Amino acid sequence: MTTQELLQKAKRAKTSLATASTAVKNAALLAMAGALEADTSPILAANAMDMEAAWGHISEVMLDRLALSEQRLAGMAQGIREVAALPDPVGQVLRRVERPNGLVIEKTAVPMGVIAIIYESRPNVTSDAAVLALKAGSACVLRCGKEAHRSAAAIVAALQKGLASSGLSPDLVQLVEDTSRQSANELMTASGLVDLLIPRGGAGLIRACVENATVNVIETGTGICHVYVDESADLDMALNIVENAKTSRPSVCNAEEVLLVHRSAAAELLPRLRRRLVEDRAAAGKVPVELRLDSTAAAIIPGTPAGPADFDTEFLDYILAVKVVDSVDEAIAHIAAHSTGHSDAILTRDSEAAKRFTALVDSAAVYVNASTRFTDGGEFGLGCEMGISTQKLHARGPMGLEELCTYKYVITGSGQIR
Amino acid sequence: MTTQELLQKAKRAKTSLATASTAVKNAALLAMAGALEADTSPILAANAMDMEAAWGHISEVMLDRLALSEQRLAGMAQGIREVAALPDPVGQVLRRVERPNGLVIEKTAVPMGVIAIIYESRPNVTSDAAVLALKAGSACVLRCGKEAHRSAAAIVAALQKGLASSGLSPDLVQLVEDTSRQSANELMTASGLVDLLIPRGGAGLIRACVENATVNVIETGTGICHVYVDESADLDMALNIVENAKTSRPSVCNAEEVLLVHRSAAAELLPRLRRRLVEDRAAAGKVPVELRLDSTAAAIIPGTPAGPADFDTEFLDYILAVKVVDSVDEAIAHIAAHSTGHSDAILTRDSEAAKRFTALVDSAAVYVNASTRFTDGGEFGLGCEMGISTQKLHARGPMGLEELCTYKYVITGSGQIR
């Protein structure tokens, strides 16, 4: 089936979901979870073929992301059941006014319609994205990277069985067959068919979507996150937070990439930082962090001299760029010039500095005295997420079910004219 | 000054506004209103030059839109004072959660940053757009059509005097000097400088923005609005509403362009409609409405045969396309195929039909038993508007101050790590 035909089918199917009750949607989700578990064998077989084909062509980290197991599949099914248990965002009245002329105006949450998701090689995204879109009342069209295509096709087949068994159209979850660049371009320009496009993946994919899409796009994920240690910071707390933000999971978008240190704190903090992130970790058999230091920091501790690119790089690795600044305003200006608008933190005991930082740092999440690693739908209490928006329109930060909806005004009158 | 230089100045200026208190912003707005009135003479002189240059080159309707008078200027100043009196959207905490780990997460309304507006020839848009952006905490960069450029420059000069006298940077309101297509393209692709672009004008301008912009855009305004008269409708009410929606102000985007009539109601409604919209209006010396009829309607009353384009045209004139349908579902399907997603109405006494119509018609405003003419910021109780969004992302329908803001999460901790 061509991508156009598949989009037309999704568009026709979305109507049935727009009028489906919460109970019908939840029953379908539970059936999809069951179907996923029932299809464990064919899904693992398809995944084994993907793994074999990818072997030697992609990195070990990527191979691990691609790999499925009985346990990972059970986790995916459990994730679907958790989404079923979340409140239904559709139909919520966000604001209600009765006007002097008697018109009742209700701003009402409604589904987007058709959500397209372009992603790379993690097969679990297939079911996560599909069930979030479905719970939010939208059909979804998935387009995964070629490495994961057999796995994704087997997962989608199972999800469609679940949909069919619950009486909803299997066309509500579709996988694009073509994994060439052509199909991604078709999704980006499918005006009238795709209501929202979410790219999940590397910076190149996201830039291509932003530059070429004529449909609505939400940029996700790129995170050059900063932690600024103010002169008044509690340095014990600062060391804990910097270590956590950098090393607890360096491959994710909310990990710290850049440390900014106030000049007054640098002489004490930096030697302790080096001991904690480099020496102690090496002694404990952990990967030490490579510190890339600006000239002021390099005068205090040994490390790699930072090049200019180091302050504009999402390392996703055990590497931390370090810069010494003279003031909170210099930290704010550095962040304005280099941040991707994801998550940035100030560590301080000075409430004025905290207030200035949170007002002027223009990022989705701005932290005072906590690790940037908390930017996550679950940690924010949203129950789930479709990705972290780094743009300013519609949704910012973790996108949960509410952020996957739009709204309409429903106006009820009794013959009012103007 | 080049458009790039001007954008850089706006970007630098936005910081001062992000930390300005409500009182400071309101004082600046009142000073801007006063400066506008004080500059009445130079503004009217500039407008007279615009009018003279445009004479014979643009239609009378457009000339009327371009014309300023002492009274219109006083109205613009009054509009500014009304915006000053509205609540400040910036800093509102939209959601607050305290997590079990003690983190306090506040979803907080914040300014967009720099809002660019591309518009055509109405000089009042210059001050309306500037003050709405300013109250919402954003700098604005205005780019008007060449016909209105002298008028806009005089208005912006006055607004900048008001800003300066109140201690805010005059760079917060800027007018692009270049009125060629080049400057519009520069705004569309000014990533990192323009946080939101709002095109206000004809369908061609809006399509160009959607297709070419790499910055965030909100589509506004195109309205092919439908009124569907159901079989159970009160026909007296229907005639009142259809007449109002079509004739009270045909040049605006919330005017009705297409009437859909249920087959069971057509035999009685259509002759009465013809009498009301054509014969009675002609007899009263008003412009009669030209009815463009599908074949079923044409078998009931005389009128112009409708061509297929008539159901996809925003007439903005005393023209109404009329089609007879067999069911509410056929009306919904017609609207899905032809609507621009602005405002559509059902007139009915059947609550099931109303429920189905409001659930399935995918437009910003869906009416039951009222005229589409109410889609307007003031009528919706928003106090003001920057235009009517016809897209589904971020803002839908009338955009007031809240819709001109974005949000960020401000997270306050006491050393939490993950």
Side-chain angles (χ1 to χ4, degrees):
Chain A
M1 205 184 331
T2 68
T3 306
Q4 285 300 316
E5 289 165 348
L6 182 149
L7 285 167
Q8 293 287 356
K9 284 176 78 172
K11 185 178 175 172
R12 281 193 299 274
K14 75 177 180 185
T15 303
S16 65
L17 198 58
T19 51
S21 68
T22 303
V24 165
K25 287 194 290 190
N26 288 344
L29 289 171
L30 297 178
M32 289 161 81
L36 199 68
E37 288 174 331
D39 270 6
T40 297
S41 300
I43 294 170
L44 291 183
N47 186 248
M49 290 170 70
D50 275 338
M51 292 290 287
E52 199 182 308
W55 198 268
H57 298 288
I58 61 176
S59 70
E60 257 183 69
V61 173
M62 295 299 277
L63 273 177
D64 179 61
R65 287 188 176 193
L66 178 56
L68 283 175
S69 64
E70 213 161 308
Q71 197 186 353
R72 285 189 177 182
L73 268 179
M76 286 159 63
Q78 180 54 27
I80 299 177
R81 294 185 179 108
E82 285 167 13
V83 171
L86 290 173
D88 190 342
V90 176
Q92 279 186 41
V93 176
L94 308 172
R95 193 166 58 215
R96 182 184 191 279
V97 286
E98 189 168 343
R99 300 289 300 161
N101 60 9
L103 282 182
V104 175
I105 303 179
E106 292 181 315
K107 183 177 176 178
T108 311
V110 297
M112 281 286 174
V114 174
I115 299 178
I117 299 117
I118 303 180
Y119 59 107
E120 298 183 333
S121 65
R122 285 197 307 186
N124 67 304
V125 174
T126 308
S127 75
D128 289 357
V131 302
L132 290 174
L134 196 86
K135 178 89 184 200
S138 285
C140 81
V141 174
L142 303 160
R143 192 269 189 199
C144 76
K146 67 173 191 302
E147 294 80 8
H149 195 265
R150 294 179 191 89
S151 311
I155 291 167
V156 167
L159 299 178
Q160 290 178 329
K161 281 185 220 170
L163 279 166
S165 76
S166 68
L168 285 176
S169 167
D171 294 343
L172 290 167
V173 176
Q174 307 227 36
L175 180 69
V176 173
E177 289 171 16
D178 171 18
T179 56
S180 74
R181 194 166 290 227
Q182 166 68 13
S183 68
N185 287 335
E186 281 184 74
L187 293 179
M188 292 177 206
T189 54
S191 300
L193 294 171
V194 168
D195 295 291
L196 174 62
L197 171 64
I198 303 176
R200 292 183 60 167
L205 167 65
I206 290 163
R207 201 168 47 244
C209 286
V210 171
E211 284 174 6
N212 301 321
T214 57
V215 303
N216 285 314
V217 172
I218 294 184
E219 292 179 61
T220 63
T222 313
I224 299 182
C225 302
H226 298 75
V227 175
Y228 164 60
V229 180
D230 192 36
E231 56 182 327
S232 71
D234 174 331
L235 295 191
D236 291 329
M237 181 198 288
L239 286 166
N240 285 337
I241 288 177
V242 171
E243 179 184 37
N244 177 264
K246 178 69 259 177
T247 68
S248 62
R249 207 171 160 204
S251 67
V252 294
C253 59
N254 57 22
E256 177 188 10
E257 304 292 12
V258 179
L259 172 67
L260 303 171
V261 184
H262 192 282
R263 187 174 297 273
S264 311
E268 185 182 345
L269 181 77
L270 291 180
R272 292 179 62 188
L273 181 83
R274 191 183 141 75
R275 206 172 312 129
R276 184 82 160 258
L277 295 191
V278 185
E279 291 157 20
D280 290 358
R281 287 182 60 87
K286 294 179 187 163
V287 183
V289 175
E290 179 186 341
L291 301 175
R292 301 211 178 154
L293 308 172
D294 81 335
S295 57
T296 312
I300 303 171
I301 53 170
T304 316
D310 286 322
F311 294 99
D312 292 297
T313 301
E314 191 184 19
F315 299 115
L316 300 173
D317 203 347
Y318 292 96
I319 301 171
L320 181 66
V322 179
K323 182 182 165 76
V324 175
V325 295
D326 284 334
S327 63
V328 63
D329 279 350
E330 191 185 342
I332 291 167
H334 179 93
I335 292 170
H338 301 277
S339 170
T340 53
H342 193 298
S343 301
D344 298 294
I346 182 172
L347 313 183
T348 187
R349 281 184 287 211
D350 173 355
S351 64
E352 281 306 307
K355 202 173 147 195
R356 194 160 174 81
F357 190 90
T358 56
L360 292 178
V361 170
D362 190 18
S363 297
V366 185
Y367 290 84
V368 179
N369 294 330
S371 170
T372 55
R373 289 276 292 108
F374 287 104
T375 304
D376 170 275
E379 295 294 332
F380 274 22
L382 307 181
C384 62
E385 74 169 50
M386 180 71 106
I388 314 272
S389 165
T390 52
Q391 67 173 44
K392 293 167 95 166
L393 221 55
H394 186 76
R396 214 173 183 198
M399 287 186 287
L401 292 172
E402 285 179 19
E403 288 76 18
L404 295 177
C405 290
T406 179
Y407 61 82
K408 67 169 75 152
Y409 287 98
V410 177
I411 305 102
T412 308
S414 49
Q416 282 84 348
I417 58 174
R418 186 181 170 195
Chain B
M1 206 183 330
T2 69
T3 305
Q4 284 299 316
E5 288 166 348
L6 182 150
L7 286 167
Q8 293 286 357
K9 283 176 78 170
K11 185 178 176 172
R12 281 194 297 275
K14 74 178 182 185
T15 303
S16 65
L17 199 58
T19 50
S21 68
T22 303
V24 165
K25 288 195 289 189
N26 288 345
L29 289 171
L30 296 178
M32 290 161 81
L36 199 67
E37 288 174 329
D39 270 6
T40 298
S41 298
I43 294 171
L44 292 183
N47 186 246
M49 290 171 70
D50 276 338
M51 291 290 287
E52 198 181 308
W55 199 268
H57 298 289
I58 62 176
S59 70
E60 256 182 69
V61 173
M62 295 298 277
L63 274 177
D64 179 60
R65 287 189 176 192
L66 177 54
L68 283 175
S69 63
E70 213 161 307
Q71 197 187 353
R72 285 191 177 179
L73 268 179
M76 286 160 62
Q78 180 52 27
I80 299 177
R81 294 185 178 108
E82 285 167 13
V83 170
L86 291 173
D88 190 342
V90 176
Q92 279 186 42
V93 176
L94 308 172
R95 196 167 55 216
R96 182 184 192 279
V97 287
E98 188 166 344
R99 299 289 301 161
N101 59 10
L103 282 183
V104 175
I105 302 179
E106 293 182 313
K107 182 178 177 179
T108 310
V110 297
M112 280 285 172
V114 175
I115 300 179
I117 299 119
I118 303 181
Y119 59 107
E120 298 183 333
S121 65
R122 286 197 308 184
N124 67 304
V125 174
T126 308
S127 75
D128 290 357
V131 301
L132 290 174
L134 196 88
K135 178 88 185 202
S138 284
C140 80
V141 174
L142 303 160
R143 191 271 190 197
C144 75
K146 68 174 189 306
E147 294 82 7
H149 195 264
R150 293 179 192 88
S151 311
I155 292 167
V156 167
L159 299 178
Q160 289 179 331
K161 280 184 220 171
L163 280 166
S165 76
S166 69
L168 285 177
S169 168
D171 295 343
L172 290 168
V173 175
Q174 306 229 36
L175 181 69
V176 173
E177 290 171 16
D178 171 17
T179 57
S180 74
R181 196 167 289 229
Q182 165 68 13
S183 68
N185 287 335
E186 280 184 73
L187 294 179
M188 294 178 205
T189 55
S191 300
L193 295 171
V194 168
D195 295 292
L196 173 63
L197 171 64
I198 303 177
R200 291 184 60 167
L205 166 65
I206 291 163
R207 203 170 44 246
C209 286
V210 171
E211 284 174 7
N212 302 321
T214 56
V215 302
N216 286 314
V217 172
I218 294 186
E219 292 178 63
T220 62
T222 312
I224 299 182
C225 302
H226 298 75
V227 175
Y228 164 60
V229 180
D230 192 35
E231 57 181 327
S232 72
D234 174 331
L235 296 192
D236 291 329
M237 181 198 286
L239 286 166
N240 284 338
I241 289 177
V242 171
E243 179 185 36
N244 179 263
K246 180 68 259 179
T247 68
S248 63
R249 208 171 160 203
S251 67
V252 293
C253 60
N254 58 21
E256 177 189 7
E257 305 293 13
V258 180
L259 171 67
L260 303 172
V261 185
H262 192 282
R263 187 175 295 272
S264 311
E268 186 183 343
L269 181 78
L270 291 180
R272 292 179 64 188
L273 180 82
R274 190 180 144 74
R275 209 171 311 132
R276 185 83 161 259
L277 294 191
V278 185
E279 292 157 21
D280 290 359
R281 287 181 61 85
K286 293 179 185 164
V287 184
V289 175
E290 180 186 340
L291 301 175
R292 299 210 178 154
L293 308 172
D294 81 335
S295 58
T296 312
I300 303 173
I301 51 168
T304 316
D310 286 322
F311 294 100
D312 291 298
T313 302
E314 191 185 19
F315 299 115
L316 301 174
D317 203 346
Y318 291 96
I319 301 171
L320 182 66
V322 179
K323 182 183 164 75
V324 175
V325 296
D326 284 334
S327 64
V328 63
D329 278 351
E330 192 185 340
I332 292 166
H334 179 93
I335 292 170
H338 301 276
S339 170
T340 53
H342 192 297
S343 300
D344 298 294
I346 182 172
L347 312 184
T348 187
R349 281 183 289 210
D350 174 354
S351 64
E352 281 307 307
K355 201 172 147 195
R356 194 158 173 82
F357 189 90
T358 55
L360 292 178
V361 169
D362 189 18
S363 297
V366 186
Y367 289 85
V368 179
N369 294 331
S371 169
T372 55
R373 290 275 293 107
F374 288 103
T375 305
D376 170 275
E379 295 293 331
F380 275 23
L382 306 181
C384 63
E385 73 169 50
M386 180 71 108
I388 313 272
S389 164
T390 52
Q391 68 173 43
K392 293 166 93 167
L393 220 56
H394 186 74
R396 212 174 185 197
M399 288 187 284
L401 292 172
E402 284 179 19
E403 289 76 19
L404 294 178
C405 289
T406 179
Y407 60 83
K408 67 170 74 153
Y409 287 97
V410 176
I411 306 102
T412 309
S414 49
Q416 283 84 348
I417 59 174
R418 186 182 172 194

